Amino acid sequence: MPLFFRAFRALNEFLDREYRGLLYNIIYAKYFKDPRRIARHRSERAKELRALSPYDDTVKQYAARYDFDWRLILAMMYQESRFNPGASSFAGARGLMQVLPGTAGEMGFDNLYDPEESIHAGVKYLAWVRERFEPELSVRDRMWFTLAAYNAGSGHVRDARRLARQQGWNPNVWFGNVERAMLLLSRPQYAQAARHGYCRCGEPVRYVRDVRSRYNAYVAMNLEEKAEPGGPESDPGGESPRPGDEI
C-alpha cells in the first residue's frame, strides 16, 4: 500500500478513536475555546490580505522618518511583542516595541501601550542605538549590531567586538564573527575580562537571527511593492536585496 494511503488510513483511525474523547476535548478547548488565545491571534491578523500586520501604515510613517526599512521594524515588532500592544516583560518593557518606560520617558513618550506611541518610541530608540556604531561599517552589519544592542545593550556588543578581534575574527562582521564572540561572553572566563561583564548573549544572537529570517520572509512576500520616495528600499538601512538574496 502506498505511503500516502497508509498515512491517510492512520489519520482516520486516530480521528475515529479520539473524536470527542479526552485528548480531542483538551486540544479543541485549547485552540478554539480559549478567549485569550483567540483574541491574540485576531490582533495579529492583518486587516487586509496584502498587509503584513495591523500596523503597517504607522510603521511605514516612522520607518521613513528615521531611515529604516519598514519591514525590518515589523520583523522586530513581531519578535518583541507578537503585535500585541498590551505586551509587557518581566524586566518592565512595554508595548509593541518593548521599550522600557525610563528610556521612553527620556525621549518624551509616556504611554507605551498606545500603538503609535510605542512604535514611534521604538523606532526613535533604534535610530539612537544605530548612532552608537560607526557609519563606516557595511549597511547590513551596522544594522545587525544595532539589533543586538537593542536587545542586549550596546556595551555588550562593543565587548563582543573587542573579543572577536582578540580571537582573530572580524570585529566588523556580525554573522560568523562577532556573534561567535557574543556567545563567549556567557562564559565566566570571558565575562570577567569584559568591560560590561556577563551577558546572557545567546538571547541577542537568536534575536538577530530570528529578526533577519522574518525580515527576509516579509521582503519575499512584499517584493512587488515599490520603495517609498526618500526611504530605504529593502535592505535594513538602504540596500535592496534581490529575490532569493538572503541576508
Side-chain angles (χ1 to χ4, degrees), residues 37-134:
R37 181 182 294 270
I38 293 170
R40 185 174 73 248
H41 287 298
R42 281 177 177 168
S43 71
E44 294 175 4
R45 186 183 306 156
K47 294 180 180 178
E48 300 177 9
L49 183 61
R50 291 188 60 196
L52 296 178
S53 83
Y55 307 104
D56 286 12
D57 291 340
T58 304
V59 169
K60 288 178 183 179
Q61 174 187 345
Y62 291 108
R65 179 181 300 186
Y66 294 97
D67 196 30
F68 289 109
D69 188 314
W70 66 278
R71 292 161 294 191
L72 176 79
I73 303 301
L74 281 183
M76 285 184 63
M77 186 191 300
Y78 183 86
Q79 196 66 30
E80 293 287 349
S81 66
R82 299 299 192 268
F83 299 148
N84 176 11
S88 60
S89 76
F90 71 91
R94 298 175 182 174
L96 288 168
M97 295 294 286
Q98 289 293 280
V99 178
L100 289 167
T103 301
E106 292 175 0
M107 297 187 296
F109 302 98
D110 59 12
N111 183 9
L112 291 171
Y113 293 124
D114 175 74
E116 182 169 357
E117 192 157 330
S118 179
I119 290 167
H120 189 183
V123 178
K124 184 175 182 178
Y125 178 62
L126 187 70
W128 181 88
V129 173
R130 180 175 56 188
E131 294 304 311
R132 311 279 73 78
F133 299 99
E134 60 271 30

Side-chain angles (χ1 to χ4, degrees), residues 164-215:
R165 185 180 291 108
Q166 293 166 10
Q167 297 292 318
W169 304 328
N170 192 333
N172 297 327
V173 175
W174 173 259
F175 287 108
N177 291 269
V178 176
E179 69 168 352
R180 293 170 65 191
M182 199 100 189
L183 291 172
L184 293 180
L185 293 175
S186 299
R187 302 180 185 180
Q189 64 268 37
Y190 295 102
Q192 290 170 4
R195 294 179 187 176
H196 297 273
Y198 173 80
C199 171
R200 293 192 307 168
C201 288
E203 184 176 330
V205 168
R206 286 190 299 272
Y207 180 83
V208 174
R209 286 189 171 271
D210 288 346
V211 171
R212 179 188 68 161
S213 295
R214 186 166 296 277
Y215 168 73

